[in-house]
Amino acid sequence: MKKLFTILSIATLTAFAGYGQSQNSGVMKATTQLNTFTVSENGVEKEYSVKVMERRKYGMKLNNKDKGMVNQDRKLASPFVTKLVAIDSDSDANYDEYMVLKYKGTENNDFELVQTDNGFDINVDDKSMHYNVLENNYLVNKKNKNFFIIEEFESK
């Protein structure tokens, strides 16, 4: 009976230790935001939707005062933010254009989509970029070109 209890105890402790080690505390779970806008094309109102999915990955920094110590305190680090922006301009079940937007964020960025005459603007804190839905292209201000990393592709 003692041996059975010992084996069961070791198995339980091993399972809990394995579960505790598998948690990744450096990645925040994804969030999703859906917006619907309208744009005028040749005098006809055209509706399009924009879906933004976000993922944040936090790096690890250590306090300089703890340098050389075995147990060091972590310091808050700026997250690397990745957003997948999906644009559906013809109101069907599939998204037409995709854009991966990456930038070095702060602890709590002010991210917003703002409708414009021919598309939408993406504002992150004091930086912005414009996406033209009618022409399917984007424009980043010259002063913000080193902030945003953009990859654009379309579905087939």
Side-chain angles (χ1 to χ4, degrees):
M1 188 69 172
K2 267 186 176 178
K3 288 183 181 183
L4 180 64
F5 181 72
T6 304
I7 292 172
L8 187 59
S9 297
I10 290 173
T12 304
L13 288 174
T14 305
F16 282 123
Y19 175 75
Q21 296 299 320
S22 67
Q23 299 294 328
N24 186 356
S25 60
V27 177
M28 187 176 112
K29 293 187 178 186
T31 59
T32 304
Q33 172 184 355
L34 181 65
N35 296 79
T36 303
F37 302 120
T38 58
V39 66
S40 180
E41 183 177 21
N42 299 329
V44 177
E45 291 291 317
K46 180 179 175 183
E47 190 174 90
Y48 66 95
S49 60
V50 180
K51 183 177 184 180
V52 180
M53 293 160 276
E54 176 185 281
R55 181 176 181 268
R56 290 176 179 251
K57 184 169 184 178
Y58 291 88
M60 185 177 72
K61 281 187 174 179
L62 303 174
N63 284 331
N64 287 334
K65 66 177 181 155
D66 294 339
K67 191 172 187 176
M69 296 177 66
V70 175
N71 294 326
Q72 297 183 20
D73 291 330
R74 287 186 182 191
K75 188 172 149 183
L76 289 176
S78 298
F80 191 70
V81 181
T82 303
K83 293 192 183 270
L84 175 65
V85 181
I87 302 146
D88 183 17
S89 56
D90 55 6
S91 299
D92 61 357
N94 300 323
Y95 285 92
D96 305 315
E97 302 286 326
Y98 292 94
M99 181 173 41
V100 178
L101 181 67
K102 300 177 185 179
Y103 56 90
K104 187 79 165 179
T106 58
E107 215 175 301
N108 49 357
N109 287 106
D110 290 330
F111 176 87
E112 67 177 339
L113 289 174
V114 180
Q115 182 175 0
T116 61
D117 292 338
N118 55 1
F120 59 91
D121 284 346
I122 295 177
N123 298 327
V124 179
D125 294 333
D126 61 342
K127 304 187 178 41
S128 66
M129 66 166 285
H130 176 73
Y131 189 86
N132 188 328
V133 174
L134 301 175
E135 297 178 11
N136 294 332
N137 63 12
Y138 65 90
L139 176 68
V140 179
N141 295 342
K142 192 172 186 177
K143 67 178 183 174
N144 300 328
K145 71 177 183 173
N146 292 329
F147 181 73
F148 293 110
I149 302 169
I150 302 170
E151 297 172 25
E152 188 177 22
F153 53 96
E154 56 186 60
S155 64
K156 299 275 179 181

